[in-house]
Amino acid sequence: MVAEAKPIVEEHTLDRDCTTLSRHVLQQMQSFSADAQDLSALMGRIGLAAKLIARRLSRAGLMENALGFTGDVNVQGESVKKMDVYANEVFIAVFKQSGLVCRLASEEMERPYYIPENCPIGRHTLVYDPLDGSSNVDIDLNVGSIFAIRQQEGMDEDGTAQDLLQPGRKQIAAGYVLYGPSTMLVYTIGKGVHAFTLDPSLGEFILSAENIRIPEHGPVYSANEGNFWQWEEPIRDYIRYVHRHEGYTARYSGALVGDIHRILMQGGVFLYPGTVKKPEGKLRLLYESAPLAFVIEQAGGRASTGTQEIMDVIPDRLHQRTPLIIGSPDNVALVESFIQERQREAADLAIKT
Ligand code: AHG
Ligand code: MN
Ligand code: MN
């Protein structure tokens, strides 16, 4: 018996409905107002910077002068990598022609970078960590970029950007780009958290997960345990606790963006507490902790210094660092419980003496 012939033209359905980043922002804003158009264009520009960085990262091993250190030390006192400089300049170049932002403030620049020609029209500041986890870059492991958009509320003459010294709740948008096996852009404008995957054949970020919710609890704890000797006792107590209980597993990549992305999707906690050498921890409030706190809060998680919500911390300087405990609400609360227990014990002791 002859099998029934199949139609020659099979029906092809699209994997996704191909929502692009800029369209998604407009949908979220439910408006075509000037503000909505600006925000959509801003996100589009961040996407362009991400594509340029991803492109260079994918070929860096074949290029002369793309990898390794520059020999300089940045304002943070950290050795600068060539890819740090490239990524920083990409954001500047992409926003210079955009008319969208008057100022950029980055981990790699001591003072904010002004684009005077944009200032009459661009009412926003972009704060960013151009390349996060740059120790991974020379060994082909995941790195990221972190960003936030804030309203520009002043023009400072002395470069201290006083109007930026406001809590994370003032962020209009925030997110990160993860340069991994694929390039992903995750963002929030305060209406949930959404992920886009770069389709290299299209050169477009396409919506791949909408309204992501972080699990209430997760198995992962992510900390550099090489710092155990320099941590305060409550953090050591927490680490001893997870070592002695079933259900926890350690994951630490050396790049915050990758570690946080895992936790966003699968639950758990990332912590970078204060150390003896760095009592405020290592991570920077304006370009690392506050943007990631906005994302994680929007997904139903929490971000804390141990005693205060990260989103409420008022910076007193541009490059301020902060301890960071971020992730699933139950896991963050567990870490905090060890900190609070010690505080109670200290208060009781003070009363008795
Ligand atoms: P950056 O490369 O932007 O300086 O950030 C590195 C950060 C962060 O990504 C990572 O979680 C942390 O530093 C790693 O620090 P340690 O090497 O001290 O663990
Ligand atoms: Mn970083
Ligand atoms: Mn960096």
Side-chain angles (χ1 to χ4, degrees), residues 1-173:
M1 208 174 107
V2 182
E4 207 178 304
K6 280 189 177 169
I8 297 167
V9 182
E10 284 187 14
E11 241 184 89
H12 287 279
T13 47
L14 288 171
D15 292 344
R16 311 257 163 211
D17 67 356
C18 283
T19 303
T20 58
L21 186 54
S22 1
R23 192 176 114 203
H24 194 262
V25 178
L26 288 173
Q27 279 172 1
Q28 290 259 299
M29 296 287 286
Q30 294 178 326
S31 143
F32 286 97
S33 65
D35 277 353
Q37 304 273 6
D38 268 12
L39 204 53
S40 163
L42 273 159
M43 288 305 306
R45 286 273 143 179
I46 291 168
L48 175 59
K51 285 184 235 174
L52 288 161
I53 295 167
R55 186 175 68 174
R56 191 166 178 98
L57 284 169
S58 70
R59 297 178 192 157
L62 301 170
M63 295 168 75
E64 240 181 287
N65 282 324
L67 296 175
F69 291 99
T70 62
D72 295 329
V73 171
N74 68 10
V75 58
Q76 323 282 337
E78 293 161 353
S79 300
V80 178
K81 292 247 161 115
K82 291 173 187 161
M83 274 304 299
D84 286 318
V85 176
Y86 175 81
N88 192 53
E89 285 173 359
V90 161
F91 276 93
I92 294 174
V94 155
F95 278 96
K96 241 185 163 170
Q97 323 141 347
S98 73
L100 291 164
V101 303
C102 163
R103 181 175 65 183
L104 296 103
S106 144
E107 173 188 295
E108 298 299 335
M109 300 186 288
E110 188 171 357
R111 284 155 184 260
Y113 183 100
Y114 278 87
I115 310 169
E117 60 273 26
N118 288 354
C119 292
I121 39 171
R123 288 161 294 133
H124 297 101
T125 290
L126 181 81
V127 288
Y128 64 111
D129 175 358
L131 197 69
D132 173 66
S134 48
S135 78
N136 282 2
V137 81
D138 295 338
I139 49 165
D140 204 20
L141 291 183
N142 66 286
V143 289
S145 300
I146 307 173
F147 60 87
I149 297 164
R150 290 181 178 238
Q151 196 76 41
Q152 172 116 8
E153 290 177 9
M155 288 284 286
D156 57 322
E157 301 302 319
D158 59 358
T160 55
Q162 289 298 314
D163 67 296
L164 280 181
L165 305 183
Q166 300 203 48
R169 306 230 175 261
K170 288 274 186 178
Q171 294 169 115
I172 294 167

Side-chain angles (χ1 to χ4, degrees), residues 148-351:
I149 297 164
R150 290 181 178 238
Q151 196 76 41
Q152 172 116 8
E153 290 177 9
M155 288 284 286
D156 57 322
E157 301 302 319
D158 59 358
T160 55
Q162 289 298 314
D163 67 296
L164 280 181
L165 305 183
Q166 300 203 48
R169 306 230 175 261
K170 288 274 186 178
Q171 294 169 115
I172 294 167
Y176 58 80
V177 183
L178 172 61
Y179 309 99
S182 67
T183 299
M184 290 194 74
L185 190 153
V186 175
Y187 90 104
T188 185
I189 54 168
K191 295 172 187 246
V193 176
H194 318 288
F196 290 73
T197 301
L198 179 63
D199 181 335
S201 63
L202 292 174
E204 282 278 10
F205 280 102
I206 304 292
L207 180 65
S208 48
E210 208 169 14
N211 292 313
I212 299 168
R213 301 300 293 173
I214 189 171
E216 291 282 307
H217 176 88
V220 167
Y221 72 97
S222 187
N224 184 347
E225 292 192 56
N227 287 330
F228 191 91
W229 68 276
Q230 332 191 41
W231 284 336
E232 291 191 343
E233 215 46 46
I235 301 297
R236 294 186 194 182
D237 287 343
Y238 168 74
I239 294 296
R240 289 186 192 109
Y241 177 91
V242 295
H243 285 176
R244 289 168 188 168
H245 288 78
E246 199 181 343
Y248 293 98
T249 189
R251 292 285 185 276
Y252 191 76
S253 76
L256 180 61
V257 166
D259 292 328
I260 298 278
H261 188 67
R262 179 197 294 277
I263 287 164
L264 171 67
M265 304 308 285
Q266 299 177 345
V269 66
F270 175 97
L271 51 156
Y272 207 116
T275 60
V276 168
K277 289 189 185 163
K278 294 186 174 123
E280 295 198 296
K282 179 180 181 187
L283 302 172
R284 277 83 16 157
L285 181 58
L286 274 148
Y287 347 96
E288 291 176 316
S289 304
L292 295 171
F294 192 12
V295 170
I296 293 293
E297 268 199 12
Q298 280 292 313
R302 283 195 48 219
S304 162
T305 63
T307 53
Q308 190 183 11
E309 298 299 314
I310 289 284
M311 291 283 276
D312 293 329
V313 178
I314 301 171
D316 56 32
R317 59 194 185 284
L318 198 55
H319 296 290
Q320 179 166 327
R321 296 174 194 265
T322 175
L324 178 65
I325 301 159
I326 184 168
S328 296
D330 290 357
N331 299 62
V332 172
L334 181 63
V335 181
E336 285 176 329
S337 70
F338 286 92
I339 296 167
Q340 283 151 12
E341 194 181 305
R342 286 280 170 166
Q343 283 177 337
R344 269 196 303 276
E345 283 169 12
D348 288 350
L349 200 67
I351 291 165

